[in-house]
Every structure is written in structure tokens, then in C-alpha cells.
Amino acid sequence: MSLMFNGIGVSRGIGIAPTRLLIRDKLEIRERSITKARVKAEIKRFDQAIETAKKELEAVSATIPADAALDITSFIETHLLMMDDEAFVNQPRLTISEQLVNAEWALHQHREAIIKVFEDMDDPYLATRKNDINHVADAVLHALQHGDKRRIKAGEQEWEGVIVVADDLTPADTVVMQTQGVAGFITETGGQLSHTAILARSLGIPAIVGVHSARRYLRDGDMVLMDGNSGLVAADPHEKTIALYRKRQREQKRATRELEKLRDAPAVTACGTAINLYANIENDDDIRALRRANALGVGLYRTEFLYMNREDIPTEEEHFQVYSKIIRALKGSAFTIRTVDLGADKQSRHTEKSAQERNPALGLRGIRRCLKEPALFVPQLRAILRAAARGPVNILLPMLTNVGEVRQTRELLEQVRAALLEEGHKVGEGIKLGGMIEVPSTAIAADQFARELDFLSIGTNDLIQYTLAIDRIDDHVNYLYDPLHPAVLRLIKMTIQAGKDKKVPVSMCGEMAGDERFIRLLMGLGLRDFSMPSNSLLAAKKVILGTSKLRELRKLSDSFVDETNSERRAAVLDKINASPAEEH
Ligand code: PEP
Ligand code: MG
């Protein structure tokens, strides 16, 4: 019998394939051999894990009220003492160096040996002490695998042709799986605008998030049908259902082929207004999709992905090589490189290690981290300036919240330029510096930012998150996600107006820009530059080609922003989106 679930469809497309379950919450203790040269580092890793586990226990201990039952405190103290006990910690160190094995395995062996001794004693009191050994060992093992346990490693498993079912996926996981030809993603948590969802959309992989308990009901290898549009998941689907969805798959392919005919048509409305369509890219491979869609250039290059699935940070030379490759492929088209926006749901191992933030979305993200960590920022800026000598490049700064950050970056850019010239490097001229408008404060003060910057780019994904106070990766608040919320639209309108007043171009690169339902509304609000995933571009062009009477559209859009009655809002939006033939 077929089992049905519903989630939030975040990336269109139909997947029919066997599942592969990803269970990462459990500790995985496997024996791994290490080289002699690695022994010192492995012992250090073990010692650090002991320290981390101790700190965690001490933190728990500090929260125990003074009047609590004594045995809670003594229980924790016993564990802390064990971690300080040389006899307990020395043996694993010895095992690491003598048997040349990983710290997890050394500790596991030690634990088994101690437990065996307790069990042989046949004393009921001592038998309970074996739980203490287990708790302490588990705490250290968790600390050892912190960061590691939630990570997918390249080449470790085969993902080709399977629908991955996971609690959650990080963008880094998604990148690894995508290179192996995964058929779809189903996750228990996650939101519309998580970077995993954005990546899945841009890669054309069907994805559904928020399917609670999916891993409880689905088994490895179950045949599953998923519809990334509606969010439907059917396990063991009936043959008739499969046939119906295969038909839909064929129809979607046909519609895509129809859209491909628009590839060479200029994006101009029926009343003669040209609209500029750029592509968002996440890596150099995306240039192929950009060409297929015939985008004008790159409106947003998310460079975070250069930092993922690796322990270290990319060197200046690595940045330079990638940027140069893209510049060559773009043959003179616009190339907007967004400086690295690590933090929140885009973590690299480097930031994972250094950031233990309470609220990462409000923490050291984007430009904040870059200005705080020149070692992260300077190599990227150097590489951008050098690459700019080979073709046009714009720089885009993420997560700006005050103009001081722009000024500081300009100063840093000047220093970097001077240093490069002194070292004899060629450096690009006329690089434009732009800023993301993705925080309400920046949108409200867009006129001030427009005075300091050469262009503005509206990042609606974060603008919606921060304006409506909804975590973009939390499916529990997904119901509040509303790009058409009057507050969001007002901020967009203010930004476009500020750009007009100050004669500074304004584009939009958030997911909203590529959504067919909103393109006319945005055009009506005055937006002319759109940047979106390449695979949304031709559908957007179709909407633009079918648009006429921009003046009328402007009035309708303005009235939509100010309308509070939901029925009237829906009617106005329908009118905005009605094709010219339907208007009469
Ligand atoms: C945005 O916030 O809209 C945006 C384009 O940036 P990102 O999705 O990478 O945060
Ligand atoms: Mg953003």
C-alpha cells in the first residue's frame, strides 16, 4: 500500500527513485589506521575532545540550582573527575601511538576493557558505575565527532540515482551529492529559502523539506515518488500514480523545450522596455547553464561554495584561478562576485570551528566576518583585483548594515590595490563596488548606501527573513514566509526609489526575482535588472515578452503595495499577471 506524506516543495521537478536514508545523529565508531606522522595530531585531537567534553559538563554543572539534590552535582563531579584521571585518559593516548589508530577507536577499546572488568566483578553497585564509563566515553566521542558527524564526505558514498532522505542537509552536503547525480532530496526540516533549497533549485534537483518523521516511515531502498512542486511524497506508489507522474514529467520537458525557443529573443516588453536578465551562479560549472539561458552575465556569484567541504580556506591563487576561468568563459559579459558570505546556514569547516554563536543569522555573517578576519577577506580581495585585469568584474558586499562597513571595505581595497601594484601585479581598473540590500536597516537607509556605492542589489531571501523575523531554514515558521508582505514590498520600493534618486542602478538577486508570479509586480515597482538561477530565466523572459502597458502596471503595483484587504490584493495581483489578451 502506498504511504503519502506532505512537505514543502522547494525545488520543482518529479523524482521517482529508491531512497537512501541518511542517519547522522548516532555516533559512528570505526577503526581507522593513521600514519606515525599523524600520532601527535591525533593525541592532540583526543586531548581537545576531553577538554571540550569537560567544558560542556562544567557548563551543565553551573546551571544546577544551589538547592538541587546533592547526587546530581556529585554525579557530574564524578564524571569530571574521571576526565581528569590520568589512568582513564592515558591508555587511549598509548593505544593511538602504539596501534596507530584513530582516537575514537582507541577510546572505544579502552571503554570496552574497563566495562569488562566491572562486569567480571559481579558487584551490583559496581555494575552501575559502568554507566558512568559509558556516559563519559560518549561525551568525549561526541566531542571528537563534533562537526564531523553531520558531514557528508566526498567519495564516501554513492548518491547516483537515489532520493536522499535526511534530517537536514547542509549546502556543503548538497554540493557533494549533486556532483554524483542524486535524483532528489527529502528532508525533515528546512525552509524555502535555505541555501540547500536554493542550490537544489539552481541545480534542477527536485527537493521537498519539512517532511517530519520521514526517516521513521521510509526505509532504505523504498521506491518513492516525489513532486517538488506540490510537496507530495508517495512511498511505494501505485503503478497508475507512477504513470500519471511520468506523463507530467514528459509535459514538463515539453514546456522546457518550448521555452528554449525564447533563448535568443531580447528581453523587451511588448511596449518596448528592455529588462536585463542576469544569472546567479554558485560555481564555475554554472556558466554552462547561464549560456543555455543566454543570460547577460553573472548578477550574483555566491563564493561561499569555494570554502565548503574542505578544512582550510582557499588561497589567493585558488580564488584567482576560479575567477579567471569564469572571466574567460564569460567573454566580456558582466561578472558580479559577491565577497564571501559565510555564517548562518552557510558554514565552512573554518567558520564551524571558530563560531559557536547563539544566533548565527544575527551573528558574524558576511561582511561582518570578513572585516573581522582579514585572513579570510584579503586573499579574496587580492584575487578579485588581479582577476579584474583580465575582464570586467563588479564586487558585491553581503549583509551590510551600516555605511561604515562600505567605507572600511573601500579603504581595505585601496590598501590591497597598492600592495599588489607594489608587488608588480596587474590590477583591474574601474571595478564597481555594490552592496546587498538584505537587512531592513540597509533598505531604510538605501539612499545613504546609494551615495557610497556604485550599485545596489536586493537580496530578498534575507530581506524577508530579517523583516518578518522568520528563520529562513526553519520549516515551523515557513507559513509566515511572504514575499508580498506590505513591509517587504515597501522596503523593495524604497530601495528602487533611492537608486533612481541617486542614479545608482538597483538589481534584485534574491529568489523572488526569478519567480514568475512576481516579475510583473517588480517591473511595476520600477525594477529593470533581475538576477536569478539560470533555469528560471527563460520562464521569466516569457513573462516579460507578454507584458505591455508598463504605465498601467506601475499604478497597479503601487496600489498592490498599499492594499491591505486580502481579497482585493489577490484581485490586483491577478490583474497584474493577466496576459494582455485576458485584460479585455
Ligand atoms: C539573498 O539573501 O536574497 C541572497 C541573494 O543571498 P543569499 O541567498 O546567498 O543569502
Ligand atoms: Mg543573503
Side-chain angles (χ1 to χ4, degrees):
M1 204 190 71
S2 167
L3 197 61
M4 307 278 223
F5 307 89
N6 258 305
I8 309 160
V10 293
S11 174
R12 267 184 270 182
I14 292 161
I16 306 170
T19 55
R20 167 80 48 81
L21 262 60
L22 199 63
I23 315 272
R24 288 175 297 185
D25 337 38
K26 284 192 203 138
L27 281 168
E28 266 183 61
I29 306 155
R30 279 199 239 144
E31 181 178 358
R32 267 190 298 115
S33 304
I34 58 166
T35 58
K36 262 201 177 135
R38 166 87 208 160
V39 166
K40 225 169 140 188
E42 196 65 12
I43 292 177
K44 192 167 168 212
R45 197 165 82 83
F46 174 72
D47 289 346
Q48 275 168 349
I50 297 265
E51 282 311 309
T52 308
K54 270 203 307 209
K55 275 198 195 116
E56 277 165 11
L57 262 188
E58 276 159 3
V60 173
S61 175
T63 63
I64 298 173
D67 57 353
L70 190 64
D71 53 345
I72 310 182
T73 323
S74 61
F75 167 81
I76 291 184
E77 267 165 15
T78 311
H79 288 188
L80 280 169
L81 283 174
M82 276 171 65
M83 288 187 204
D84 272 333
D85 182 357
E86 283 298 307
F88 181 77
V89 294
N90 260 345
Q91 185 56 45
R93 290 188 191 129
L94 261 170
T95 310
I96 292 171
S97 61
E98 283 172 2
Q99 296 182 19
L100 297 179
V101 289
N102 54 324
E104 286 92 335
W105 191 248
L107 178 60
H108 169 69
Q109 277 184 298
H110 187 42
R111 165 178 46 192
E112 296 295 293
I114 302 178
I115 285 178
K116 179 138 193 352
V117 174
F118 279 126
E119 280 172 349
D120 288 349
M121 281 181 188
D122 211 17
D123 176 322
Y125 168 73
L126 285 176
T128 63
R129 307 314 298 172
K130 121 182 150 184
N131 292 339
D132 292 329
I133 304 288
N134 272 328
H135 285 145
V136 171
D138 278 352
V140 181
L141 285 166
H142 270 292
L144 272 170
Q145 296 195 349
H146 176 75
D148 234 40
K149 68 183 159 86
R150 301 188 51 78
R151 194 176 292 158
I152 308 252
K153 297 194 185 87
E156 206 166 63
Q157 259 175 305
E158 272 294 313
W159 305 102
E160 192 181 344
V162 297
I163 292 178
V164 175
V165 183
D167 54 342
D168 190 14
L169 290 169
T170 65
D173 296 337
T174 315
V175 172
V176 170
M177 290 175 176
Q178 169 266 323
T179 52
Q180 295 188 15
V182 67
F185 299 122
I186 298 171
T187 63
E188 294 180 343
T189 58
Q192 277 277 357
L193 297 176
S194 67
H195 285 88
T196 302
I198 292 174
L199 260 183
R201 274 196 290 277
S202 107
L203 299 165
I205 300 168
I208 301 177
V209 302
V211 185
H212 300 282
S213 309
R215 291 174 310 158
R216 235 169 95 195
Y217 298 106
L218 294 172
R219 282 159 311 173
D220 239 349
D222 274 352
M223 197 58 178
V224 154
L225 182 155
M226 63 181 290
D227 179 1
N229 204 16
S230 65
L232 172 94
V233 177
D236 199 10
H238 196 278
E239 266 173 39
K240 275 193 188 151
T241 318
I242 295 187
L244 177 76
Y245 275 85
R246 290 240 187 264
K247 188 167 162 243
R248 284 196 193 160
Q249 262 178 331
R250 284 195 297 275
E251 282 164 5
Q252 282 175 3
K253 276 199 187 129
R254 207 171 308 133
T256 308
R257 277 200 301 275
E258 274 304 303
L259 282 178
E260 276 162 10
K261 293 183 187 157
L262 302 179
R263 188 189 173 276
D264 297 321
V268 179
T269 64
C271 49
T273 302
I275 304 293
N276 302 313
L277 297 180
Y278 296 92
N280 292 352
I281 64 167
E282 274 84 38
N283 59 52
D284 48 335
D285 275 351
D286 292 346
I287 296 295
R288 264 178 296 180
L290 174 148
R291 280 228 202 81
R292 276 201 301 278
N294 202 12
L296 286 177
V298 173
L300 167 69
Y301 172 30
R302 289 185 167 97
T303 55
E304 301 75 69
F305 293 91
L306 286 172
Y307 294 72
M308 289 180 188
N309 293 315
R310 54 188 293 165
E311 296 299 330
D312 53 355
I313 55 174
T315 60
E316 174 186 333
E317 203 50 34
E318 283 174 71
H319 281 290
F320 177 69
Q321 291 304 335
V322 177
Y323 304 155
S324 302
K325 187 173 167 197
I326 298 176
I327 288 169
R328 266 197 309 279
L330 284 173
K331 299 191 177 102
S333 305
F335 181 27
T336 301
I337 304 178
R338 185 175 70 183
T339 55
V340 64
D341 182 23
L342 288 172
D345 71 328
K346 283 176 294 191
Q347 296 287 352
S348 72
R349 298 202 186 142
H350 167 77
T351 53
E352 225 172 54
K353 271 183 219 152
S354 60
Q356 294 287 334
E357 294 173 299
R358 271 181 172 273
N359 207 335
L362 301 181
L364 214 49
R365 215 199 125 169
I367 193 68
R368 302 173 178 184
R369 180 176 287 279
C370 283
L371 290 173
K372 202 144 199 144
E373 277 189 58
L376 193 74
F377 203 21
V378 170
Q380 180 171 39
L381 292 182
R382 284 177 58 98
I384 296 176
L385 293 195
R386 282 174 57 204
R390 302 183 163 204
V393 165
N394 303 318
I395 298 177
L396 179 58
L397 307 177
M399 193 67 188
L400 287 172
T401 47
N402 63 64
V403 286
E405 290 158 338
V406 178
R407 292 178 192 153
Q408 238 182 304
T409 308
R410 277 208 192 274
E411 254 173 51
L412 193 59
L413 271 168
E414 279 322 304
Q415 286 166 16
V416 166
R417 172 185 296 277
L420 284 170
L421 289 173
E422 206 173 297
E423 290 165 34
H425 287 290
K426 273 196 186 153
V427 169
E429 294 297 329
I431 302 170
K432 294 203 167 67
L433 184 67
M436 298 277 296
I437 306 292
E438 52 184 352
V439 176
S441 61
T442 321
I444 293 165
D447 56 330
Q448 298 177 346
F449 282 88
R451 253 183 247 131
E452 308 270 336
L453 289 159
D454 304 313
F455 65 99
L456 308 178
S457 187
I458 307 173
T460 47
N461 307 339
D462 279 312
L463 190 60
I464 295 168
Q465 152 165 275
Y466 293 121
T467 305
L468 304 183
I470 50 166
D471 186 341
R472 59 195 270 190
I473 58 173
D474 183 350
D475 60 298
H476 294 104
V477 286
N478 188 73
Y479 72 101
L480 290 170
Y481 164 73
D482 181 12
L484 300 181
H485 190 293
V488 174
L489 292 180
R490 281 184 181 179
L491 292 175
I492 292 174
K493 198 173 154 184
M494 280 169 72
T495 306
I496 296 171
Q497 194 55 48
K500 250 192 209 143
D501 293 345
K502 299 278 177 280
K503 301 199 170 30
V504 166
V506 176
S507 70
M508 180 181 285
C509 60
E511 293 294 287
M512 192 176 175
D515 193 319
E516 295 152 62
R517 294 166 301 169
F518 310 139
I519 286 171
R520 282 197 185 161
L521 171 68
L522 293 169
M523 285 163 62
L525 294 180
L527 193 73
R528 297 291 176 265
D529 294 354
F530 292 69
S531 190
M532 61 188 76
S534 293
N535 54 17
S536 302
L537 202 137
L538 294 178
K541 195 189 273 187
K542 188 174 172 198
V543 174
I544 293 161
L545 296 177
T547 302
S548 60
K549 301 185 188 155
L550 258 187
R551 198 169 301 165
E552 204 174 294
L553 196 58
R554 197 174 310 141
K555 280 194 212 130
L556 280 173
S557 302
D558 281 345
S559 70
F560 183 82
V561 174
D562 292 327
E563 181 59 71
T564 52
N565 175 292
S566 53
E567 273 168 32
R568 278 199 295 271
R569 273 174 80 86
V572 177
L573 190 62
D574 281 350
K575 202 160 177 203
I576 288 173
N577 285 331
S579 64
E582 287 170 62
E583 280 174 21
H584 306 292

